[in-house]
Amino acid sequence: MSEKTDRPKRMETRLPEKFMPTINYNTCVQCKRCVNECSFQAIDVRDNKVVPKGGCVACGRCIAVCPTSAIEIRPLPSQFPPHGNWTERMRRGIYAQANSGGVLLSSCGTDEPYDVIFEDILLDAAQVTNPSIDPLREPVETRTYLGGRPGRIEVCEGEHMKLCGGEGPIIEMDMPIMLGHVSLGSVSYNTQKALFMAAKELNIIAGSGEGGLHEDFYVYADHICSEVASGRFGVNASYLKNTAAVEIKVGQGAKPGLGGHLPGEKVTKLISETRMIPLGTDALSPYPHHDIYSIEDLQQLISVLKEATEYGRPVGVKIAAVHNVGAIASGIVRAGADFITIDGFKGGTGSAPRVIRDNAGLPIEVAIAVVDKRLTDEGLRNRVTIAAGGGIRCSADMIKAIALGADIAMVSTAAMIAMGCRVCQQCHRGLCPWGIATQREDLMARLDPEQAAARVVRLFRAWNEELREVIGGMGIDSVESLVGNRDRLRYMGPNPKIAEVMGLKTVGEGWG
Amino acid sequence: MSRASNPLPKPEYAYGAARPAGSTYLMGGCGIAGVMALDGSTISGNRIGSMLRTMGERENGLGAGYACYGLFPQHLDEYCFQVFFDDEEIKKRVEEFFKDYLEIHHAEKVYSRPVQTMTPPFPKIWRYFVTPKPGKDWFGNTQLAQDDFIIQVVMHVNSTMNGAQIVSSGKNMAVFKGNGYSYEIADFYDISRYSGNLWISHSRFPTNSPAWWAGAHPMSVLDWGVCHNGEITSYGVNKKLVEMNGYKCTVQTDTEVVSYIWDLLVRKHKLPIQAAAFAMAPWTHEEIATLDPDSRKLATWLRIAYREAFLNGPFSILVGRSQPEITLIALADRKKLRPMLVGKSPDDRLAFCASEECAVRTVQPDAITWTCNAGSPFIAQVGKGIIRAGIEHPFQGAKQ
């Protein structure tokens, strides 16, 4: 017997389908558009008839393109014997790992049904003693600044007073929203372009992600926050100076404690040029920055980046929300950061190991509250801007995040959904049928940057309007008086200890 | 006198803040009144008492108070502590503590008399003229200036010694307040026995906080005294700012933070009064955009740096201080959700501030009155007159 045949045969377990496209042949006109559009090849043609083939991820592209609305995607009932402990999810994970021997990847944040603390919090509303303010009749301001704050300023007296010291680089935004970092490579050129276009139109900031910045996007420089990640991809003087702010990425909510990985097959010519790496090679960001093993090291890098940008841009640090986040944030401010971005558990647009994504981190609601409290206790809160994201789904989440202590809500997945993303959690496969998380030319072409940008603009304008309605309803006429104003929140959830940690009164408690 | 005959100049960028024609009655909560002798003469407590009593609809008997400035010219360099005690035991404890940290130059019981309509218990009220003990540090902190040392003493007593509250701690001033109607408190202390250069006062219609003796206005720290009508919706944010700077909020009302913010911004950060007022009631960004470049820059950075000092929500406040000069400040919120009227006597001898015009007319029928622009402070100083009418450019005339 040859050596080859001695090797044990690999036994693949074929798993039952989870979703099934069903086609109504009464209305199907056999145009085959669904077949061409399904990048997962879950629909085929047999005997000149469109039929499901298997592998459907419920991305919904076929439904969207069918001219006769003949397609419906049905979740299939579980084909596994019922068991309360060995859930279908557990068993599928085991089969997949027994097949591959690898780390399980998924995208778009954890899909485990964890409680959302935002939903346990109720907002306050003004009544008689504190009258509400109608934003249609009165100014209700949402302008927000990103950057370091001096704590105090000097004013020269004279016939007219003047500012005589204290100012620094700062970015003015029309609303307290920042588009989170999604790198070119994890998403397509058109996706990133749409995000930058939207940021410019809204006068807010969008993150570049860790993949450098394509020269085409330098025109959006005033609305881009660049990212310096451990891989240092694309980081050069031109990149740093062609953005409005610089952010050192230490961690991210979807995979706290981990670095980044863009597979070689996604490193096209465009990506290789932008990231300054060879074509087709894996872009691996190590877990730590190999020049940062302490707050003192971080301080040095912050100083270097300030020097490199001639002290003209705010320099911030992004961390994942972890259990000691308050003390870490304090160290970051003391190291000279102008802003801190906290990325919460449940965050993440791109791919991450499932075991980390589902089990590591801290809900952003709690992280914001403890950071805000710690910095206040240490007299540092008025030195820094806090951006927070990772699980912000709607304007109510954003408003609660601000009242808990964030200056700026960082939002990514909601922007992707506005562009068309159906949260099928398959970004890591690079087959995104909506042209968002892919580098395949034919798929990329499906996303029109202008239309996508317009959708993002409309979404956040609507959120901002809702913000104005809510704070006006609280009797507040400027969003800065909501930041960290936990008096305007009450906790109605099941765990009073969480309310205590977050510094929230519970429902029914009055002022004094 | 009508607004049309107001002799004060109206700059081209001033708002029209006159009450609409035909509107003669505006219901509000709390009454505030202040009167200052601009020429340095003294005013009897009777005058402020009648001003405040005239606005009887603005109170419900749950607190009133008066602060008098220019009260102790014979003790100009000593801090005057007026202290509420629940009983002799706590008084003894506090006095022991005082002796460790302060030189007590004089101590006396504050005069009070029973008022039939007021329900006991009443606190024992004592007055101490003190200075920091030379060479004594504050728990190892040797860097404190005298004023900061005094603040630490006040915060320590108010936050840790239950049953004692230092209700005023400034030089050349004192606060007389309690739980009752304005006329009851005036009777209780017999404020007619006091005369000073400046009085501010408050009658209370509390809605969000308990009615207790120390919770009545004016709220005071060092020589700052603040009377407030309204509700500060940004209280949580404002509290963060003062706590970050070592102040302790112990009185459970939003007005307390306002007095600390004045102390922080003007005394510690050395902002001119107008700049501090702008930080507390800033112009909108849209309005700031219309300013000249220097003023625009200053206004923007006041909003950025002192975001936590922004008093949001409805308020009108009267502020008094005695150091370095006896000063009266009146400020309304930037939307003017609470009333505030200012005025002066035709001979420029007296300045007035009140929630309602009747309060001024009752003591000075021929007063010249006007309203300030939203967020724009009225400032008057003994010996200098009205240095800011409240309708000027926000950063004009900063020289004090």
Side-chain angles (χ1 to χ4, degrees):
Chain A
M1 197 181 275
S2 72
E3 199 184 330
K4 195 176 175 184
T5 51
D6 278 346
R7 201 179 292 159
K9 261 182 142 179
R10 187 178 171 122
M11 187 185 79
E12 293 274 348
T13 300
R14 191 163 181 279
L15 297 176
E17 294 291 321
K18 289 172 82 174
F19 302 101
M20 179 66 72
T22 59
I23 294 131
N24 181 347
Y25 293 110
N26 292 326
T27 51
C28 175
V29 292
Q30 302 299 336
C31 67
K32 304 183 183 61
R33 205 164 160 198
C34 53
V35 181
N36 295 331
E37 293 276 339
C38 181
S39 50
F40 295 100
Q41 299 181 324
I43 305 178
D44 204 357
V45 179
R46 202 176 300 146
D47 301 331
N48 208 28
K49 193 176 170 185
V50 174
V51 290
K53 186 183 163 192
C56 175
V57 298
C59 76
R61 183 76 187 179
C62 53
I63 295 173
V65 298
C66 177
T68 60
S69 302
I71 307 180
E72 181 190 354
I73 296 173
R74 292 180 184 166
L76 293 172
S78 173
Q79 300 299 305
F80 295 88
H83 196 293
N85 191 33
W86 292 102
T87 59
E88 178 176 342
R89 180 188 169 87
M90 283 291 171
R91 277 176 276 184
R92 279 183 181 274
I94 288 172
Y95 294 131
Q97 287 193 306
N99 281 345
S100 69
V103 172
L104 296 176
L105 292 180
S106 189
S107 306
C108 295
T110 183
D111 53 356
E112 291 276 39
Y114 286 105
D115 285 342
V116 179
I117 299 172
F118 282 132
E119 290 172 359
D120 293 334
I121 297 172
L122 296 180
L123 300 167
D124 189 22
Q127 295 295 298
V128 178
T129 58
N130 158 31
S132 50
I133 297 158
D134 180 352
L136 295 175
R137 294 160 193 268
E138 298 273 356
V140 173
E141 299 178 291
T142 59
R143 180 171 298 179
T144 300
Y145 292 93
L146 173 68
R149 295 193 294 142
R152 66 187 292 176
I153 56 172
E154 279 179 46
V155 179
C156 299
E157 296 189 40
E159 197 179 330
H160 266 75
M161 290 184 278
K162 281 183 184 170
L163 181 66
C164 288
E167 75 270 36
I170 200 128
I171 302 166
E172 180 188 301
M173 308 200 303
D174 282 354
M175 54 185 75
I177 296 174
M178 173 183 169
L179 287 161
H181 287 271
V182 279
S183 67
L184 184 62
S186 71
V187 294
S188 69
Y189 175 92
N190 284 354
T191 304
Q192 209 175 43
K193 184 176 179 183
L195 291 170
F196 293 156
M197 288 170 76
K200 185 176 181 184
E201 176 72 23
L202 292 165
N203 190 30
I204 61 170
I205 290 290
S208 70
E210 68 162 298
L213 188 66
H214 195 277
E215 283 188 11
D216 290 359
F217 299 146
Y218 283 6
V219 294
Y220 304 107
D222 290 346
H223 300 279
I224 294 175
C225 175
S226 59
E227 190 167 273
V228 176
S230 57
R232 301 286 192 272
F233 298 120
V235 177
N236 56 35
S238 161
Y239 166 61
L240 296 174
K241 286 182 180 169
N242 275 292
T243 51
V246 180
E247 185 176 277
I248 300 164
K249 186 195 91 173
V250 173
Q252 52 187 318
K255 37 183 170 175
L258 304 192
H261 180 194
L262 187 70
E265 56 264 32
K266 280 191 170 181
V267 180
T268 60
K269 185 166 178 293
L270 183 95
I271 307 297
S272 88
E273 285 169 3
T274 310
R275 293 204 175 199
M276 306 180 342
I277 55 172
L279 193 70
T281 56
D282 282 20
L284 281 161
S285 277
Y287 288 6
H289 287 249
H290 284 303
D291 52 358
I292 304 178
Y293 287 95
S294 66
I295 285 288
E296 300 89 314
D297 293 345
L298 179 66
Q299 185 171 20
Q300 287 186 8
L301 183 58
I302 291 171
S303 302
V304 166
L305 292 171
K306 286 190 173 179
E307 188 76 34
T309 53
E310 293 160 8
Y311 298 89
R313 281 155 193 75
V315 174
V317 177
K318 182 168 89 173
I319 50 169
V322 290
H323 301 297
N324 195 30
V325 68
I328 295 162
S330 161
I332 291 171
V333 182
R334 291 170 196 280
D338 296 316
F339 63 98
I340 305 176
T341 307
I342 313 166
D343 200 6
F345 175 63
K346 294 181 191 167
T349 51
S351 66
R354 256 172 57 173
V355 63
I356 297 287
R357 188 201 66 173
D358 293 346
N359 297 286
L362 188 66
I364 192 63
E365 303 93 314
V366 177
I368 297 167
V370 297
V371 167
D372 184 63
K373 184 170 185 314
R374 178 71 179 244
L375 295 182
T376 302
D377 288 349
E378 296 191 5
L380 298 169
R381 183 62 186 89
N382 58 348
R383 303 302 173 94
V384 71
T385 302
I386 295 177
I392 292 174
R393 306 156 301 169
C394 58
S395 65
D397 290 356
M398 169 180 79
I399 292 161
K400 291 168 188 175
I402 293 170
L404 287 169
D407 296 86
I408 297 166
M410 183 178 67
V411 187
S412 302
T413 306
M416 300 294 167
I417 295 172
M419 290 182 184
C421 167
R422 297 296 200 266
V423 198
C424 71
Q425 304 183 83
Q426 304 296 319
C427 315
H428 54 291
R429 293 168 65 183
L431 294 172
C432 179
W434 296 91
I436 297 169
T438 181
Q439 301 305 319
R440 243 173 65 179
E441 294 282 342
D442 60 325
L443 299 177
M444 269 164 48
R446 292 178 181 180
L447 189 83
D448 179 324
E450 285 183 7
Q451 287 182 18
R455 294 185 64 79
V456 175
V457 166
R458 286 195 291 266
L459 173 74
F460 291 129
R461 286 218 170 117
W463 283 24
N464 196 49
E465 204 50 43
E466 288 174 335
L467 168 68
R468 296 174 71 233
E469 292 276 359
V470 169
I471 60 176
M474 288 175 175
I476 293 174
D477 64 4
S478 189
V479 72
E480 64 239 63
S481 289
L482 183 69
V483 178
N485 198 344
R486 273 169 267 179
D487 284 338
R488 297 286 153 197
L489 300 175
R490 290 293 185 277
Y491 181 77
M492 203 179 68
N495 189 340
K497 182 69 185 173
I498 288 181
E500 187 188 320
V501 169
M502 295 174 78
L504 294 182
K505 288 182 174 140
T506 55
V507 286
E509 285 189 274
W511 288 94
Chain B
M1 192 170 282
S2 75
R3 200 176 150 71
S5 60
N6 181 352
L8 288 158
K10 185 177 177 185
E12 57 190 50
Y13 40 76
Y15 301 114
R19 198 175 292 174
S23 172
T24 55
Y25 179 82
L26 292 170
M27 187 59 194
C30 299
I32 51 181
V35 58
M36 169 184 260
L38 296 165
D39 59 358
S41 56
T42 55
I43 301 166
S44 156
N46 279 334
R47 187 180 292 237
I48 190 73
S50 54
M51 282 181 78
L52 194 59
R53 273 200 305 277
T54 308
M55 302 182 289
E57 268 183 343
R58 296 186 159 272
E59 57 182 320
N60 64 359
L62 292 176
Y66 305 84
C68 184
Y69 289 82
L71 186 58
F72 305 116
Q74 69 279 27
H75 294 282
L76 270 183
D77 296 326
E78 294 158 12
Y79 297 89
C80 172
F81 281 15
Q82 293 224 140
V83 193
F84 289 166
F85 297 113
D86 275 355
D87 52 48
E88 281 298 327
E89 193 186 331
I90 186 71
K91 177 171 174 285
K92 208 171 150 195
R93 263 185 66 205
V94 170
E95 284 178 347
E96 289 299 313
F97 172 75
F98 281 173
K99 280 176 195 160
D100 280 350
Y101 287 89
L102 304 168
E103 294 276 3
I104 302 175
H105 303 284
H106 178 68
E108 64 189 9
K109 191 173 188 305
V110 174
Y111 177 84
S112 64
R113 60 189 180 186
V115 176
Q116 244 183 354
T117 50
M118 287 174 74
T119 318
F122 308 128
K124 298 171 190 306
I125 307 163
W126 279 74
R127 179 181 298 146
Y128 303 86
F129 289 98
V130 300
T131 48
K133 216 165 208 174
K136 183 76 183 178
D137 63 17
W138 178 259
F139 292 110
N141 188 347
T142 54
Q143 304 295 317
L144 291 180
Q146 279 208 352
D147 284 346
D148 296 309
F149 188 94
I150 293 294
I151 285 183
Q152 293 300 333
V153 171
V154 173
M155 297 290 150
H156 182 80
V157 170
N158 289 357
S159 63
T160 64
M161 296 186 164
N162 196 24
Q165 282 282 333
I166 301 175
V167 297
S168 67
S169 49
K171 291 176 179 171
N172 203 14
M173 58 85 69
V175 167
F176 306 93
K177 64 181 184 180
N179 215 3
Y181 281 99
S182 55
Y183 62 87
E184 291 173 327
I185 298 301
D187 277 358
F188 181 84
Y189 289 100
D190 185 19
I191 60 166
S192 64
R193 62 173 47 230
Y194 300 105
S195 290
N197 306 124
L198 163 66
W199 286 89
I200 58 171
S201 65
H202 180 264
S203 57
R204 196 161 184 232
F205 206 128
T207 44
N208 290 316
S209 54
W212 59 311
W213 278 68
H217 301 192
M219 290 295 160
S220 183
V221 65
L222 292 178
D223 60 316
W224 294 100
V226 177
C227 299
H228 161 223
N229 168 17
E231 181 176 325
I232 308 289
T233 53
S234 53
Y235 174 65
V237 182
N238 309 133
K239 190 163 171 269
K240 283 156 72 103
L241 176 66
V242 299
E243 286 179 348
M244 275 192 277
N245 287 281
Y247 300 90
K248 290 183 179 134
C249 295
T250 55
V251 187
Q252 301 173 40
T253 91
D254 45 11
T255 312
E256 181 185 27
V257 298
V258 181
S259 57
Y260 299 158
I261 289 174
W262 278 104
D263 187 56
L264 175 71
L265 265 51
V266 177
R267 185 182 64 82
K268 291 181 91 171
H269 286 197
K270 301 191 176 1
L271 292 187
I273 288 173
Q274 289 93 321
F278 191 93
M280 291 185 222
W283 282 21
T284 63
H285 294 297
E286 199 177 331
E287 292 165 330
I288 288 171
T290 65
L291 287 167
D292 60 279
D294 278 347
S295 301
R296 192 160 61 227
K297 191 173 170 191
L298 173 58
T300 302
W301 278 94
L302 280 169
R303 287 199 67 165
I304 293 169
Y306 295 109
R307 184 180 78 194
E308 288 92 349
F310 182 171
L311 304 174
N312 213 310
F315 69 81
S316 56
I317 57 174
L318 280 187
V319 184
R321 72 181 304 207
S322 54
Q323 307 293 323
E325 288 99 11
I326 295 177
T327 307
L328 168 66
I329 306 163
L331 178 68
D333 70 76
R334 64 183 196 157
K335 283 192 160 57
K336 290 191 94 157
L337 295 168
R338 286 288 190 276
M340 170 66 83
L341 179 101
V342 297
K344 60 174 190 167
S345 59
D347 60 2
D348 290 339
R349 208 178 66 78
L350 297 171
F352 303 99
C353 303
S355 299
E356 292 183 31
E357 186 136 7
C358 61
V360 179
R361 297 280 167 221
T362 195
V363 292
Q364 186 81 44
D366 59 349
I368 300 158
T369 60
W370 66 96
T371 53
C372 308
N373 285 347
S376 183
F378 166 91
I379 305 171
Q381 276 181 353
V382 168
K384 291 186 181 168
I386 294 172
I387 52 178
R388 205 171 184 287
I391 53 177
E392 300 87 345
H393 183 287
F395 304 132
Q396 200 174 30
K399 274 268 185 253
Q400 300 295 307

